[in-house]
Amino acid sequence: MRAVPTEASARLVTLDVIRGVAVMGILLLNIVDFAMPSYAYVDPTFYGGATGANWWAWAIAFVLADGKMRGLFTILFGASTMLIAERALAAGQSPARVHYARMITLFLIGMVHAYLIWSGDILVPYAIGGAIIFAARRWRTEALLALATIIMLLQLVAGIADHAAARHFEARATAADAPVALQDKWSRYTGGIAELRAEIPAEIAAFRGGWSDVLPARIVRTYEAQTEVMPSLLPETIALMLLGVALFRSGFFAGEWPRRRYRQLMLLGYGICLPLYLPLVWWISSTNFDPLTLLLANPLHLVLLRPGLALAYAATIILLMQRGPAGALTRRIAAVGRMAFSNYLATSLLCTLLFYGYGLGWFGRLERWQLYPIVAVICAAMLLWSKPWLDRFAYGPFEWLWRSMARLKLQPITHR
């Protein structure tokens, strides 16, 4: 009888199941970035269709998955930080050394992933955020929750302030007596989307081209993402990781909360946050995805609604896990979660081969709704391959690589 590796015996299966759901669910949003010009991720009128089935594809993904799956993934990353630190301490190792070795190697893998495979990488911001939150590892749970809440509220306040300033700018610049210089400044401010639309043919041509065409386009996308987008995402990433640390410490993922508290989270998510998405979707759609509307809608959705719905998903999974032994499907989802790193990177490799010109070259060829059968097939592949792999090997291939790099020594991959 083969021995179960230490990591598996210490692992919380519930964490794996939630992580498995998150890594499959995150593809509902990422698939758009793989398959279409970049701004289509934000605005379906930009590319891929925004009426009929395409509108429904955007709306359903926005309500049920946008930000929630990445939010779950980020919360779980914080929780895993605690789990690995405790494991290192129990093994007589330095938690700090183990953690920062992991974050440095994650950063390096993320940079390779971002510049050579896909610009939508989340590993680099996770490595930076993970390095930062470790300093708060020993804080009291209340302090962690307070800091996470403050960071999120500051994001909300900044979003409201930016929207108010933009609307004030609009009112002054479009007034009948507005100076010409102010009108010109407003035109430049609002002309960004038009410029992006004008660049669509060049973007499509680049990503349908060969490696020599895709590489410079991907480098530009990645640089913009890391210098313009990532700084604005880091605060919420850190806040959600801190929330994950606090939830792990409180026994949330181990199912140690009273069942009524899990049900209360479900009521918050499904009874309050989910219905509030309906007027938000109507508002965004009725303004035809106006950038100034999105400037306010984004923090409202990410700060006020997303966390509640994401935690409702987690609470639902935890309660289902408490009902009895894991069934065949649950075991397969847990395997997907144990191999989340490998499944995430394998998805990038597969999708870029499907959509970029050095593969099948489907970039920009499909409507939005047509992307989701592809998502279903890829998720089915994760469910099919993850458990058989783990039946034979102790770790996923990229988990093994990460572990070996962090320890500066090739690690055994087979069961001992």
Side-chain angles (χ1 to χ4, degrees), residues 178-202:
V180 173
L182 188 61
Q183 294 178 32
D184 290 342
K185 189 176 180 180
W186 174 251
S187 296
R188 290 193 299 271
Y189 178 79
T190 58
I193 302 301
E195 292 177 6
L196 287 175
R197 291 187 188 279
E199 294 170 2
I200 288 176

Side-chain angles (χ1 to χ4, degrees), residues 84-112:
I84 291 166
E86 290 181 358
R87 186 184 300 153
L89 194 62
Q93 300 173 323
S94 165
R97 191 202 67 77
V98 170
H99 176 77
Y100 284 107
R102 286 171 55 83
M103 293 306 100
I104 290 169
T105 50
L106 182 65
F107 179 86
L108 295 175
I109 294 171
M111 290 295 282
V112 172

Side-chain angles (χ1 to χ4, degrees), residues 294-314:
L294 294 175
L295 197 60
L296 179 57
N298 191 55
L300 290 176
H301 137 64
L302 291 179
V303 176
L304 295 182
L305 302 182
R306 174 192 61 176
L309 195 50
L311 290 176
Y313 291 159

Side-chain angles (χ1 to χ4, degrees), residues 145-158:
L145 289 174
L147 181 56
T149 301
I150 290 169
I151 293 172
M152 295 295 281
L153 289 178
L154 287 174
Q155 292 284 98
L156 178 61
V157 170

